Amino acid sequence: MAIIATGITRTTIGVNYLVTCMGVFTSCAVWPFYCTTLWERQNKIAVIVAPTLGSITAIACWLGSTHALYGTVSIATTSNIIPLIIGNGVSLIAGAVYSIICTFAFGADDFDWRRLQTEIHVADDSDVKGLTPEQIAQEKSHELLSPEQDRDLKRGKVKACIIAVVLCLVFVILWPMPMYGTRYIFSKNFFRFWVALTFLWAFGSAFTITIMPLVEGRSTIKLFFTTMVFGKKPQQSPLDGVMVEGGDESDQRSSGLETKDARADERAV
């Protein structure tokens, strides 16, 4: 990506141009993608057609508004703010509109989310030699959500939706619209603040997506190093063939392989 970006900067287009107009091509998929996981009524036609028609509509509005406002379509004119706002806004809205129209025009689906628990399995060792039916049943039981976990996921969904709406209102409406409406011109100090905030936000995001997987996977990383690097012999879990670090009950719980037998209770105590 760095090599491609460096090469593009040597052309008349530039990376900044691609970043500002990228939403014209991609924002149309936001709503259909969202609905594939949160709206059971969206059908297959909507998933395929909505992003395609949304992108075509957005490109037409982007280039059409550029020609109407400036009389010509070029890199310079299509980089202006108004055509980009029109193109990106139409792309985001058109994807949602086409998805809803296609869903009800061709028949709304009624997907049963319980199929994800009954028909799709993360692991299936039923063909592995040596496993008893009890062990296979125990393996599959770890994939089922408890009522407490299901409630936690629903609470997390509500929290994520609220945060997404708040951030969208702040960054799309409450912050930029008043500045644009008043035709505010950045002062030197305000521009410094703007750049600093942008960098802090970017580095904070990069830090989060880099560190969080390491923190969440610390038990697996520890097991790898103690076993492969330091030669510490792990003990076998109740599921044959699955190795967990001996003597560390917290690792067993975090990996979802703990059992409720007396030995596990004794080790926990």
Side-chain angles (χ1 to χ4, degrees):
M1 293 301 296
I3 294 174
I4 294 174
T6 303
I8 292 175
T9 59
R10 308 301 298 177
T11 68
T12 58
I13 297 177
V15 176
N16 186 63
Y17 178 80
L18 295 180
V19 172
T20 54
C21 69
M22 187 182 301
V24 178
F25 304 94
T26 61
S27 295
C28 52
V30 170
W31 177 270
F33 183 76
Y34 155 85
C35 290
T36 56
T37 55
L38 296 177
W39 190 31
E40 68 276 2
R41 296 180 65 82
Q42 181 176 243
N43 56 30
K44 299 177 183 178
I45 297 177
V47 175
I48 299 172
V49 174
T52 305
L53 293 181
S55 183
I56 294 174
T57 304
I59 293 172
C61 293
W62 175 42
L63 300 180
S65 61
T66 300
H67 187 272
L69 292 172
Y70 305 103
T72 182
V73 177
S74 64
I75 299 297
T77 56
T78 54
S79 300
N80 288 315
I81 295 176
I82 299 300
L84 286 173
I85 291 177
I86 293 174
N88 282 273
V90 169
S91 180
L92 185 62
I93 297 173
V97 171
Y98 286 131
S99 172
I100 296 173
I101 291 176
C102 291
T103 295
F104 291 102
F106 296 97
D109 202 348
D110 188 18
F111 184 78
D112 185 6
W113 297 108
R114 290 174 297 182
R115 291 177 56 188
L116 299 178
Q117 294 183 345
T118 59
E119 298 181 16
I120 301 176
H121 301 286
V122 177
D124 184 6
D125 293 334
S126 57
D127 58 343
V128 177
K129 294 181 179 180
L131 285 182
T132 64
E134 291 77 12
Q135 291 172 324
I136 296 175
Q138 184 184 23
E139 179 187 70
K140 293 183 177 180
S141 67
H142 290 300
E143 300 179 1
L144 300 178
L145 296 177
S146 65
E148 293 77 12
Q149 291 174 320
D150 189 60
R151 285 194 295 268
D152 289 340
L153 286 176
K154 290 180 179 178
R155 284 195 294 266
K157 171 187 172 181
V158 173
K159 185 186 298 183
C161 290
I162 294 175
I163 293 174
V165 170
V166 171
L167 291 177
C168 181
L169 289 175
V170 171
F171 289 111
V172 177
I173 298 177
L174 298 181
W175 189 330
M177 290 300 179
M179 296 177 65
Y180 178 77
T182 58
R183 300 191 179 277
Y184 177 76
I185 299 176
F186 285 12
S187 64
K188 188 175 183 179
N189 290 332
F190 190 86
F191 181 71
R192 287 176 176 172
F193 164 74
W194 185 279
V195 174
L197 181 63
T198 302
F199 274 87
L200 288 174
W201 192 277
F203 279 110
S205 302
F207 181 81
T208 301
I209 64 177
T210 302
I211 299 301
M212 282 192 65
L214 297 178
V215 174
E216 293 177 347
R218 62 188 182 278
S219 299
T220 303
I221 297 174
K222 180 182 178 183
L223 176 61
F224 170 79
F225 276 100
T226 55
T227 305
M228 303 299 295
V229 178
F230 301 106
K232 183 178 179 181
K233 185 178 180 181
Q235 77 175 32
Q236 203 167 27
S237 74
L239 299 180
D240 294 343
V242 180
M243 310 301 287
V244 298
E245 185 180 359
D248 192 340
E249 185 66 20
S250 62
D251 285 343
Q252 295 182 30
R253 284 197 299 269
S254 63
S255 62
L257 297 176
E258 76 281 3
T259 60
K260 295 182 180 180
D261 59 4
R263 289 178 300 172
D265 292 337
E266 291 174 1
R267 285 198 300 270
V269 172

